[in-house]
Amino acid sequence: MRRRFAGLALALSVVLPVVSTAGLSPAIAQPGSEPAAAQGIPDGPAKAWLLADLDTGQVLASRDPYGTYAPASTIKVLLATVVLDHLRPDSFARANASHTEVECSCVGLKPGQAYTTRQLLEGLLMVSGNDAANMLADMLGGQPTALAAMNRKAALVGARSTKASSPSGLDGPGWESVTTPHDLAVILRAALKYPLIAHIMGQPSAQFPGKTITNQNELLTRYPGDLAGKTGYTNLARKTYLGAAQRGNRRLVVVQMYGTGDLYGQATRLLDWGFNQQR
């Protein structure tokens, strides 16, 4: 059974099997209707997750794929697409104190130092720099302008349940960002069409002014064929993970939200399960 989203070329189609019918439309699954092939799908420890073919958009398995949760730093992938829609990679600006006055994780911006867009994107996507997110938002015209652009972009690519309230994904009064596993998969699918984003998310390290930064996505070294990944954590979101991997000519995307424990382990098991399924 398939479900497509009219008018949204980048949205994902949904196909059985699913692990749980909680929160799903009756048009997709009814209790007790899961096929035998659904058994053995690696569930937990994320409360909501999705595994899909990155290129066709076919969802192979999911739990609560349309449930809304706080995204934490996975929303930075959306910010990166907006940045490259409006700024050249070699454009630059100077950091100021307002960029660094933020709860970290941070890449370590220094007020007065000049940074290129590309360097800030590396700090954003590889080490989840909240200071880099603040500076990029300013380069886009300020946080209100950046957030409006992020929300327009989300709607444009088919992530219609996504609302960005901070460029970094931090929680706080007035910062109640929300998205869904489905939407994060759609966002990563769109983001990896940008060659620079794909390159940055797939590189193990990069030179940053004054130091070398290392990609925080552990699956780059732990999972053969890993293409990209973005971790996140806040008190509201719990652990989140968004990633993609390739085996042969097939590419899969995995999303995990509101998790505890070892999300990398679950992501690995889901990807292995997905690559073992016939098309």
Side-chain angles (χ1 to χ4, degrees), residues 54-172:
L54 186 66
D55 297 302
T56 68
Q58 181 184 31
V59 175
L60 305 178
S62 63
R63 177 182 290 282
D64 198 15
Y66 303 108
T68 55
Y69 302 88
S73 288
T74 57
I75 204 67
K76 289 178 171 123
V77 177
L78 177 62
L79 173 61
T81 66
V82 172
V83 166
L84 289 179
D85 286 345
H86 294 88
L87 300 174
R88 290 171 51 92
D90 59 355
S91 63
F92 69 92
R94 293 189 182 276
N96 61 52
S98 71
H99 303 143
T100 64
E101 294 169 353
V102 63
E103 179 183 343
C104 290
S105 61
C106 296
V107 69
L109 300 186
K110 298 187 181 300
Q113 171 73 47
Y115 299 93
T116 66
T117 300
R118 176 175 180 147
Q119 288 168 339
L120 293 170
L121 285 173
E122 288 173 334
L124 181 81
L125 295 173
M126 294 176 64
V127 298
S128 206
N130 295 333
D131 49 356
N134 282 351
M135 185 168 175
L136 286 167
D138 269 2
M139 291 172 70
L140 289 167
Q143 288 205 13
T145 300
L147 292 171
M150 290 171 70
N151 289 321
R152 286 195 302 270
K153 183 71 171 185
L156 179 65
V157 301
R160 290 186 169 179
S161 296
T162 296
K163 176 189 175 185
S165 297
S166 70
S168 63
L170 283 174
D171 305 329

Side-chain angles (χ1 to χ4, degrees), residues 204-278:
S205 63
Q207 294 303 310
F208 196 79
K211 59 184 173 181
T212 300
I213 58 176
T214 301
N215 200 317
Q216 290 179 343
N217 173 29
E218 294 182 16
L219 289 193
L220 277 178
T221 55
R222 287 175 52 179
Y223 193 83
D226 190 77
L227 298 172
K230 184 72 197 73
T231 60
Y233 176 83
T234 66
N235 290 337
L236 183 61
R238 303 288 187 92
K239 289 184 177 181
T240 60
Y241 183 74
L242 170 64
Q246 182 168 355
R247 188 172 294 175
N249 62 356
R250 193 176 192 194
R251 302 192 302 167
L252 300 181
V253 56
V254 62
V255 183
Q256 297 157 285
M257 304 196 73
Y258 206 76
T260 58
D262 181 18
L263 294 197
Y264 286 128
Q266 183 188 7
T268 295
R269 293 189 298 273
L270 283 169
L271 289 167
D272 281 346
W273 182 90
F275 284 124
N276 286 329
Q277 305 308 300
Q278 296 181 349

